[in-house]
Amino acid sequence: MPRSPGHAFYDRLQVELVAAGFDGFVEGLCAAHYAERRGRPSLPPGRYFRMLLVGYFEGIDSERGLEWRCADSLSLREFLRLGERERVPDHSWLSRTRSRLPLELHDAVFTWVLQRLAERGLVKGERIGVDASTMEANAALRGIVRRGSGEGYREMLTCMARESGIDTPTADDLIRLDRTRKGKKLSNTEWESPTDPDARIARLKDGRTRLAHKPEHAVDLDTGAVVAAEMHAADRGDTATLPDTLASAARHLDAVDAAPSIEAPAELVADKGYHSRATLKALDDGPWKTRIAEPKRDGFLRWHGDDAARRAVVNNRTRLLSGVARAAFRLRAEIVERCFALALDRGGMRRTWLRGRDNIHKRYLIHVAGYNLGLIMRLLTGAGTPRAFQDRLSACLAAVILPNGSPMMLLIVVAGDQTPAIAISLEPDPLD
């Protein structure tokens, strides 16, 4: 049957994945997790990872939405390498496949994408910006229970109302009691979610208090490539999660021969939330040259004989005074925040529908790998997502003077690859 023209963005991305041997790579990784002779024939693992990539490029947060979108688009069916009569895998297949494949395998696919970026010079490893954001968990704050006893929040308010003399409290009574009671703050050490124990009570970026997770990125400031995408508990501070993120960044950079060393350290650019004596002391004279913003403090600093911490803080403060540091912080504010906006807000992962930190981390790694693939596509086509590729379709109106001296108008439509697709002649009215 004749083939209709597909989406130019996905066709170009398919060419890159096939040329780099993506399917053979993931099949070799997943071979140990598939039975050879039991059950019905399994679906290709390359299709599983492609569907997760579609989630980033289309901004789809749920797996049911992924199934519906892929079934509705012929271009996406071809991107998934489906036959004419093959059905799109359903959402339950996505869930089961993700639960059976370990987190380390998803991290290996993320590293493979990073290696493709390094082949095109999109990973430098000289300046690394680190920042964290929040992701709303798939658990309701009203459903939390006490650790150990299992007492619910509403049950606690009901007991307090009865103790205050209200035998049959209504919902309005409980709301009023909750609003006026002392010590209203909720502690993660005392409360947990029965549906997602890994979720933590935290304040989101928009100011709401919800159960959440904490994604943290390490980004190459020279190219915008994400070299580490970790998922931490939302109640852990930035200084507590920084060592894990730096270890992941160093491991991924080592896979592309760009790992920092003591002889050739990489710059670490972070905001004042990552500033602490213990952090700077641990990173001093190591593979990371810190440029961490220092918060303003009243009074004098007292070191109590800790000369190593004093030297680390002073060295970091000295590096903040140069013009190089100001340029690095401008890049960090632009590039790191942009990658969070693309992955979480436009990419649809600001609120997750999965539960369990490792389970969420698996999908998030492939989600950010889609962001990194978008950098390659931006280099090749000028657009990093299908939507941006369509937005680049522009029309140019040009005037041409004919040999007889009369003007002729040309409407030139330029496609995303800068190739003139349509040229329409608009001849003027001879009476004008």
Side-chain angles (χ1 to χ4, degrees):
M1 296 180 62
R3 177 187 181 276
S4 62
H7 198 294
F9 181 89
Y10 286 110
D11 288 347
R12 190 69 179 89
L13 179 59
Q14 185 80 293
V15 170
E16 292 300 314
L17 293 177
V18 173
F22 177 71
D23 294 276
F25 171 76
V26 295
E27 286 179 8
L29 280 178
C30 301
H33 303 279
Y34 283 79
E36 296 182 359
R37 297 183 179 179
R38 294 182 180 178
R40 65 179 181 179
S42 61
L43 298 178
R47 191 168 299 165
Y48 161 74
F49 290 106
R50 278 181 171 86
M51 287 191 73
L52 296 186
L53 292 176
V54 170
Y56 166 75
F57 289 121
E58 298 292 326
I60 301 174
D61 52 359
S62 69
E63 293 178 349
R64 292 179 185 268
L66 275 177
E67 177 191 350
W68 296 336
R69 181 70 182 94
C70 293
D72 188 57
S73 172
L74 292 177
S75 297
L76 291 179
R77 285 180 59 90
E78 292 186 0
F79 180 66
L80 298 179
R81 311 185 81 176
L82 286 167
E84 295 179 2
R85 298 183 180 274
E86 285 188 89
R87 295 181 57 185
V88 174
D90 59 13
H91 62 92
S92 61
W93 173 78
L94 281 174
S95 301
R96 289 195 303 267
T97 304
R98 187 185 57 253
S99 63
R100 292 169 181 173
L101 298 180
L103 177 61
E104 292 76 15
L105 193 146
H106 292 76
D107 187 77
V109 175
F110 177 85
T111 306
W112 183 90
V113 173
L114 205 62
Q115 290 170 344
R116 306 289 78 78
L117 267 70
E119 293 174 356
R120 289 174 168 82
L122 294 177
V123 178
K124 303 295 183 182
E126 299 174 356
R127 291 186 295 181
I128 303 297
V130 178
D131 201 2
S133 188
T134 53
M135 175 191 299
E136 187 174 352
N138 186 20
L141 190 61
R142 68 181 66 181
I144 58 177
V145 297
R146 288 187 182 274
R147 294 181 183 271
S149 64
E151 180 187 16
Y153 192 76
R154 187 182 183 89
E155 296 174 0
M156 180 198 70
L157 292 178
T158 303
C159 292
M160 293 178 61
R162 290 173 179 171
E163 292 175 358
S164 62
I166 306 175
D167 294 333
T168 57
T170 63
D172 293 336
D173 294 333
L174 296 180
I175 293 174
R176 184 170 54 256
L177 181 64
D178 184 40
R179 187 183 299 116
T180 58
R181 72 182 179 88
K182 296 182 180 180
K184 188 180 177 181
K185 291 185 178 181
L186 299 175
S187 173
N188 284 297
T189 59
E190 185 178 359
W191 298 90
E192 67 175 352
S193 171
T195 56
D196 188 2
D198 291 335
R200 295 292 185 269
I201 303 169
R203 189 178 297 275
L204 303 181
K205 293 297 182 180
D206 57 5
R208 296 177 298 151
T209 300
R210 293 291 186 273
L211 292 168
H213 302 279
K214 176 185 175 181
E216 190 168 44
H217 289 181
V219 186
D220 192 323
L221 297 182
D222 295 308
T223 63
V226 179
V227 298
E230 295 301 303
M231 189 67 59
H232 303 291
D235 58 343
R236 295 185 64 191
D238 291 341
T239 56
T241 59
L242 181 61
D244 296 336
T245 302
L246 290 182
S248 177
R251 185 178 69 256
H252 291 142
L253 290 173
D254 183 62
V256 297
D257 298 327
S261 61
I262 297 178
E263 295 76 16
E267 293 186 19
L268 172 61
V269 186
D271 60 16
K272 60 184 179 181
Y274 292 90
H275 190 282
S276 71
R277 295 186 183 184
T279 300
L280 295 175
K281 182 179 177 181
L283 297 176
D284 196 32
D285 296 331
W288 301 100
K289 184 168 62 175
T290 59
R291 296 187 190 274
I292 302 177
E294 184 174 1
K296 293 183 179 180
R297 296 185 177 90
D298 298 331
F300 298 95
L301 297 178
R302 302 183 182 275
W303 303 103
H304 304 287
D306 194 350
D307 294 333
R310 179 179 181 275
R311 182 178 64 254
V313 171
V314 172
N315 289 341
N316 178 76
R317 185 183 301 165
T318 303
R319 298 188 194 102
L320 296 177
L321 301 177
S322 64
V324 175
R326 289 190 290 271
F329 276 101
R330 283 195 297 268
L331 278 176
R332 178 193 167 278
E334 174 187 355
I335 294 177
V336 180
E337 294 298 333
R338 181 175 62 193
C339 80
F340 274 121
L342 291 175
L344 296 177
D345 297 321
R346 194 213 61 82
M349 286 290 286
R350 181 62 74 178
R351 199 242 194 249
T352 180
W353 298 100
L354 307 178
R355 290 171 179 170
R357 190 175 307 121
D358 287 345
N359 197 25
I360 298 170
H361 195 192
K362 291 176 185 179
R363 181 173 179 187
Y364 192 70
L365 278 172
I366 309 303
H367 202 77
V368 178
Y371 166 82
N372 283 339
L373 284 174
L375 298 180
I376 297 179
M377 296 300 296
R378 188 178 295 118
L379 181 67
L380 298 175
T381 65
T385 59
R387 189 180 306 172
F389 188 87
Q390 293 176 348
D391 292 342
R392 294 187 69 253
L393 188 68
S394 59
C396 302
L397 188 64
V400 179
I401 305 298
L402 298 178
N404 58 5
S406 61
M408 180 181 70
M409 305 301 293
L410 288 178
L411 179 63
I412 304 175
V413 179
V414 181
D417 56 355
Q418 299 296 331
T419 303
I422 305 175
I424 305 174
S425 174
L426 304 176
E427 295 185 1
D429 191 345
L431 298 179
D432 291 343

